[in-house]
Amino acid sequence: MAIRKIRIIGDEILEHKSKPVKEMTPRIKTLIEDMLDTMYEAQGVGLAAPQVGILKQVVVIDVSPEGDSPVVLINPEILELKGEQTGQEGCLSVPGKAGIVTRANYAKVKALNEDMEEIIVEGEELFARALQHEIDHLSGILYVSKVEGELEDMSMEEE
Ligand code: ZN
């Protein structure tokens, strides 16, 4: 267990494409554990490996209120997007800011789990938004490029 340093916007690693994971190794296992620790510590609902400086296609998400339902996605690939939602979005790599982003309301994703078995995950609303946001990170895309209007300052009103 270890907390890793979260890379902040302006760090060019966030704009690079991540490489697929070919096999599960102790290094990748540790990366996943550290990413979960780092996400929970920062009170985020998702984290992608490039955000901790590793250009591998690994994403962790937990949108549950209790923070006890982690989803680990390796080499995720969007299979289907449906509908539309417009709402506020933030990112651990863009601290203190939020902006309005329109995303699909439903997303279906194929990925590998920690045992390198194929899984399909799907969901709506916040989970669908998190899937799209985190998978964008693997392509070097930050949500700020999709914000409608201005980025807002959140420093005074975080929950
Ligand atoms: Zn993000």
Side-chain angles (χ1 to χ4, degrees), residues 77-89:
E77 199 182 309
I78 289 179
L79 296 179
E80 198 180 336
L81 296 172
K82 274 195 300 211
E84 205 176 86
Q85 57 172 320
T86 298
Q88 201 174 54
E89 201 163 309

Side-chain angles (χ1 to χ4, degrees), residues 18-25 27-29 31-32 49 54-59 73-76 112-114 116 138:
S18 293
K19 294 205 165 64
V21 174
K22 293 201 184 79
E23 56 172 347
M24 187 48 59
T25 61
R27 261 179 113 91
I28 300 282
K29 274 211 163 72
L31 171 67
I32 292 168
I54 307 288
L55 290 171
K56 296 270 188 201
Q57 292 181 13
V58 180
V59 158
L73 301 173
I74 298 166
N75 305 343
L112 301 174
N113 66 14
E114 290 164 275
M116 298 300 272
L138 304 180

Side-chain angles (χ1 to χ4, degrees), residues 33-89:
E33 285 166 21
D34 290 355
M35 283 174 63
L36 285 166
D37 291 344
T38 306
M39 174 182 75
Y40 289 127
E41 162 84 9
Q43 298 185 340
V45 297
L47 191 69
Q51 292 182 274
V52 293
I54 307 288
L55 290 171
K56 296 270 188 201
Q57 292 181 13
V58 180
V59 158
V60 297
I61 294 173
D62 190 342
V63 297
S64 69
E66 300 80 14
D68 58 0
S69 305
V71 177
V72 176
L73 301 173
I74 298 166
N75 305 343
E77 199 182 309
I78 289 179
L79 296 179
E80 198 180 336
L81 296 172
K82 274 195 300 211
E84 205 176 86
Q85 57 172 320
T86 298
Q88 201 174 54
E89 201 163 309

Side-chain angles (χ1 to χ4, degrees), residues 51 91 133-134 137:
Q51 292 182 274
C91 178
H133 176 116
E134 300 310 331
H137 272 299

